[in-house]
Amino acid sequence: MKEIELLEAAKHTSPNPVSLICTRTPAGVTNLGTVSWWTYLGLEPATIGFAMMKPSYSGEMTRKNKEAVLVIPGEPLARHVMECGSTSGRDTDKAKRYGIELMSIDGTDIEIPTHSVVAIHCGLREFVDVGDHNFYICDVKRVLANDGEKALFAWKGYAKIAPAVMA
Ligand SMILES: Cc1cc2nc3c(=O)[nH]c(=O)nc-3n(C[C@H](O)[C@H](O)[C@H](O)COP(=O)(O)O)c2cc1C
């Protein structure tokens, strides 16, 4: 085996998960931040976690509101996953700019993309400073699923967004 950088390992573990962190902004709109580094963490209590770079607006809104909805995007959102991962909600209303259709769900004023496969509504329990990222540990409040959509994954590291096919 040869020694590589940690980020390079993502090419070898491809396809990697991809999600959109949906948060409510003070302007009253939903911001969508692309996050590959999320994970299930526990069942009792139901817990998930995700890592976001310190300057990210999604992280800031999660800390401020103590609430987010993590969604797994469906196939029609492939282009938007890249768009939401290359602009910041700090200066852009991404849903409006990229024409991403949103819908309401019960229990929160955070909207989610209509083409979502799974939506996990959660509350921030705590966040951990891990250096260039914060790791957000969240209590799951409610999970919704849509059988009619194909989940997207990040391929070739994070260069391509597409569904996975079973070998
Ligand atoms: C495929 C893909 C995966 C990404 N995964 C992460 C991630 O896990 N954590 C992170 O901090 N940023 C990740 N990013 C970058 C953020 O989405 C990007 O910094 C974005 O501008 C943050 O938006 P915000 O400021 O509105 O939160 C990813 C980008 C792409 C395209």
Side-chain angles (χ1 to χ4, degrees):
M1 293 183 88
K2 62 173 181 176
E3 187 168 348
I4 58 169
E5 296 295 325
L6 181 59
L7 195 55
E8 242 190 284
K11 290 182 192 153
H12 298 270
T13 58
S14 178
N16 294 303
V18 75
S19 71
L20 292 169
I21 302 295
C22 310
T23 50
R24 186 87 171 168
T25 76
V29 301
T30 290
N31 183 47
L32 307 167
T34 305
V35 163
S36 235
W37 294 359
W38 85 273
T39 183
Y40 300 101
L41 285 175
L43 296 174
E44 285 293 337
T47 310
I48 61 164
F50 59 89
M52 286 224 76
M53 284 181 284
K54 283 184 175 164
S56 86
Y57 197 52
S58 306
E60 185 180 326
M61 290 301 104
T62 303
R63 294 194 301 279
K64 180 173 184 284
N65 304 329
K66 306 212 174 329
E67 183 190 17
V69 182
L70 182 150
V71 309
I72 305 303
E75 202 170 3
L77 294 173
R79 180 167 51 89
H80 299 315
V81 166
M82 280 303 191
E83 291 166 342
C84 291
S86 55
T87 44
S88 179
R90 209 173 284 288
D91 49 32
T92 306
D93 177 344
K94 300 185 204 183
K96 192 171 167 194
R97 174 166 171 190
Y98 301 125
I100 304 170
E101 191 187 322
L102 300 177
M103 60 180 249
S104 301
I105 55 172
D106 286 345
T108 177
D109 57 5
I110 300 170
E111 293 181 304
I112 65 167
T114 305
H115 295 287
S116 298
V117 179
V118 166
I120 305 175
H121 179 208
C122 52
L124 178 63
R125 187 189 306 167
E126 61 179 301
F127 68 96
V128 180
D129 181 335
V130 288
D132 55 355
H133 286 63
N134 285 319
F135 187 66
Y136 297 89
I137 300 173
C138 298
D139 289 302
V140 173
K141 294 172 189 268
R142 198 154 164 260
V143 185
L144 304 170
N146 179 357
D147 289 333
E149 298 274 355
K150 234 184 232 177
L152 288 170
F153 291 82
W155 291 83
K156 299 180 179 175
Y158 306 104
K160 188 176 179 231
I161 303 298
V165 277
M166 211 178 291

